Amino acid sequence: MNTGSNEPPVAQATEGAAGTAKPEKPFGSRAPEFVKARRALHLSWQVGVFIVGLAVVVVGIIMLPLPGPGWVVIFCGMAIWATEFVWAQLVLRWTKRKVTEAAQRALDPKVRRRNIILTVIGLVIVGALAGVYLWKYGLEMPWKINDQ
Protein backbone atom coordinates (compact mmCIF):
# COMPACT_ATOMS: atom_id res chain seq x y z
CA MET A 1 0.00 0.00 0.00
CA ASN A 2 1.31 3.43 -0.86
CA THR A 3 1.61 5.85 2.07
CA GLY A 4 2.02 8.86 -0.18
CA SER A 5 5.80 9.02 -0.01
CA ASN A 6 8.10 7.82 -2.75
CA GLU A 7 11.11 7.73 -0.44
CA PRO A 8 12.15 4.31 0.85
CA PRO A 9 11.57 3.76 4.57
CA VAL A 10 14.59 4.09 6.85
CA ALA A 11 15.78 1.03 8.74
CA GLN A 12 15.99 1.41 12.51
CA ALA A 13 18.80 0.06 14.64
CA THR A 14 18.12 -1.88 17.83
CA GLU A 15 20.40 -2.90 20.64
CA GLY A 16 21.42 -6.54 20.45
CA ALA A 17 22.13 -8.80 23.41
CA ALA A 18 25.85 -7.94 23.32
CA GLY A 19 25.14 -4.19 23.14
CA THR A 20 25.93 -3.88 19.44
CA ALA A 21 23.47 -2.12 17.18
CA LYS A 22 21.95 -4.31 14.51
CA PRO A 23 19.89 -2.78 11.69
CA GLU A 24 16.31 -3.96 11.33
CA LYS A 25 14.76 -4.64 7.97
CA PRO A 26 13.10 -1.58 6.43
CA PHE A 27 9.34 -1.23 6.52
CA GLY A 28 7.33 -1.96 3.41
CA SER A 29 6.59 -4.63 0.88
CA ARG A 30 9.01 -7.49 0.35
CA ALA A 31 7.39 -8.52 -2.91
CA PRO A 32 9.67 -9.21 -5.88
CA GLU A 33 10.59 -6.15 -7.95
CA PHE A 34 8.68 -7.27 -11.04
CA VAL A 35 5.53 -7.49 -8.89
CA LYS A 36 6.08 -4.04 -7.37
CA ALA A 37 6.58 -2.53 -10.82
CA ARG A 38 3.03 -3.35 -11.92
CA ARG A 39 0.25 -1.78 -9.83
CA ALA A 40 -2.44 -4.38 -10.62
CA LEU A 41 -0.07 -7.28 -10.01
CA HIS A 42 1.13 -5.74 -6.74
CA LEU A 43 -2.45 -5.23 -5.55
CA SER A 44 -3.25 -8.86 -6.44
CA TRP A 45 -0.11 -9.94 -4.57
CA GLN A 46 -1.20 -8.00 -1.47
CA VAL A 47 -4.70 -9.48 -1.59
CA GLY A 48 -3.21 -12.98 -1.86
CA VAL A 49 -0.83 -12.37 1.06
CA PHE A 50 -3.70 -10.98 3.14
CA ILE A 51 -5.95 -13.99 2.43
CA VAL A 52 -3.20 -16.52 3.21
CA GLY A 53 -2.28 -14.65 6.42
CA LEU A 54 -5.93 -14.40 7.41
CA ALA A 55 -6.43 -18.14 6.89
CA VAL A 56 -3.40 -18.92 9.09
CA VAL A 57 -4.57 -16.50 11.82
CA VAL A 58 -8.09 -17.97 11.77
CA VAL A 59 -6.67 -21.49 12.11
CA GLY A 60 -4.60 -20.25 15.06
CA ILE A 61 -7.66 -18.71 16.70
CA ILE A 62 -9.52 -22.00 16.24
CA MET A 63 -6.58 -23.81 17.88
CA LEU A 64 -6.70 -21.62 21.00
CA PRO A 65 -9.42 -23.68 22.76
CA LEU A 66 -8.48 -26.87 20.93
CA PRO A 67 -5.28 -28.88 21.20
CA GLY A 68 -2.56 -27.29 19.15
CA PRO A 69 -0.08 -24.43 19.11
CA GLY A 70 -2.64 -21.64 18.68
CA TRP A 71 -0.47 -18.65 19.57
CA VAL A 72 2.44 -19.91 17.48
CA VAL A 73 0.17 -20.25 14.44
CA ILE A 74 -1.31 -16.78 15.02
CA PHE A 75 2.18 -15.26 15.11
CA CYS A 76 3.05 -17.17 11.92
CA GLY A 77 0.04 -15.55 10.27
CA MET A 78 1.22 -12.17 11.52
CA ALA A 79 4.66 -12.92 10.05
CA ILE A 80 3.02 -13.68 6.70
CA TRP A 81 1.19 -10.33 6.85
CA ALA A 82 4.42 -8.60 7.86
CA THR A 83 6.00 -9.54 4.53
CA GLU A 84 3.64 -7.07 2.89
CA PHE A 85 1.97 -4.70 5.37
CA VAL A 86 3.66 -2.06 7.53
CA TRP A 87 1.05 -2.30 10.32
CA ALA A 88 1.81 -6.01 10.73
CA GLN A 89 5.55 -5.28 10.76
CA LEU A 90 5.02 -2.77 13.57
CA VAL A 91 2.90 -5.23 15.57
CA LEU A 92 5.45 -8.00 15.07
CA ARG A 93 8.37 -5.78 16.14
CA TRP A 94 6.44 -4.63 19.23
CA THR A 95 5.63 -8.25 20.11
CA LYS A 96 9.25 -9.35 19.66
CA ARG A 97 10.42 -6.48 21.85
CA LYS A 98 7.92 -7.32 24.62
CA VAL A 99 8.80 -11.04 24.54
CA THR A 100 12.51 -10.20 24.77
CA GLU A 101 11.87 -7.85 27.70
CA ALA A 102 9.80 -10.51 29.48
CA ALA A 103 12.53 -13.09 28.95
CA GLN A 104 15.13 -10.71 30.40
CA ARG A 105 12.91 -10.01 33.42
CA ALA A 106 12.38 -13.74 33.95
CA LEU A 107 16.14 -14.25 34.16
CA ASP A 108 16.43 -11.67 36.96
CA PRO A 109 17.41 -13.54 40.19
CA LYS A 110 14.91 -11.59 42.33
CA VAL A 111 12.04 -12.46 39.99
CA ARG A 112 13.09 -16.13 39.81
CA ARG A 113 13.30 -16.33 43.61
CA ARG A 114 9.84 -14.74 43.95
CA ASN A 115 8.36 -17.14 41.38
CA ILE A 116 9.87 -20.16 43.15
CA ILE A 117 8.51 -18.98 46.52
CA LEU A 118 5.03 -18.41 45.07
CA THR A 119 5.10 -21.86 43.41
CA VAL A 120 6.07 -23.54 46.69
CA ILE A 121 3.33 -21.68 48.58
CA GLY A 122 0.79 -22.73 45.93
CA LEU A 123 1.88 -26.36 46.13
CA VAL A 124 1.64 -26.31 49.94
CA ILE A 125 -1.92 -24.91 49.73
CA VAL A 126 -2.96 -27.54 47.16
CA GLY A 127 -1.37 -30.28 49.29
CA ALA A 128 -3.19 -29.04 52.41
CA LEU A 129 -6.52 -28.98 50.56
CA ALA A 130 -5.92 -32.50 49.22
CA GLY A 131 -5.04 -33.67 52.76
CA VAL A 132 -8.23 -32.17 54.20
CA TYR A 133 -10.29 -33.81 51.45
CA LEU A 134 -8.68 -37.23 52.07
CA TRP A 135 -9.10 -36.86 55.86
CA LYS A 136 -12.79 -35.98 55.51
CA TYR A 137 -13.88 -38.26 52.65
CA GLY A 138 -11.17 -40.89 52.40
CA LEU A 139 -9.72 -42.32 49.24
CA GLU A 140 -13.01 -43.63 47.83
CA MET A 141 -13.59 -42.22 44.39
CA PRO A 142 -16.89 -40.41 43.69
CA TRP A 143 -17.89 -42.79 40.88
CA LYS A 144 -17.74 -45.80 43.22
CA ILE A 145 -19.96 -44.45 45.98
CA ASN A 146 -22.50 -47.05 47.11
CA ASP A 147 -26.15 -46.23 46.64
CA GLN A 148 -27.68 -44.92 49.86
Side-chain angles (χ1 to χ4, degrees), residues 47-105:
V47 168
V49 167
F50 183 80
I51 290 172
V52 170
L54 183 66
V56 173
V57 168
V58 167
V59 168
I61 290 171
I62 291 171
M63 281 187 192
L64 285 175
L66 299 175
W71 285 110
V72 173
V73 174
I74 289 172
F75 289 127
C76 286
M78 288 297 296
I80 291 170
W81 279 338
T83 63
E84 199 58 36
F85 302 107
V86 173
W87 61 267
Q89 292 169 1
L90 291 171
V91 169
L92 213 53
R93 284 186 185 178
W94 179 83
T95 305
K96 286 179 184 178
R97 190 173 60 248
K98 291 297 179 185
V99 166
T100 304
E101 290 171 5
Q104 290 299 321
R105 279 195 312 268

Side-chain angles (χ1 to χ4, degrees), residues 1-2 29 31 34-51 84-85:
M1 295 273 166
N2 191 357
S29 175
F34 74 91
V35 172
K36 290 183 194 176
R38 294 164 183 83
R39 177 86 174 128
L41 188 58
H42 192 220
L43 188 61
S44 302
W45 179 274
Q46 287 181 327
V47 168
V49 167
F50 183 80
I51 290 172
E84 199 58 36
F85 302 107

Side-chain angles (χ1 to χ4, degrees), residues 117-137:
I117 290 170
L118 289 175
T119 302
V120 168
I121 290 172
L123 289 174
V124 167
I125 291 172
V126 168
L129 291 174
V132 168
Y133 177 84
L134 289 174
W135 173 69
K136 187 165 184 164
Y137 298 107

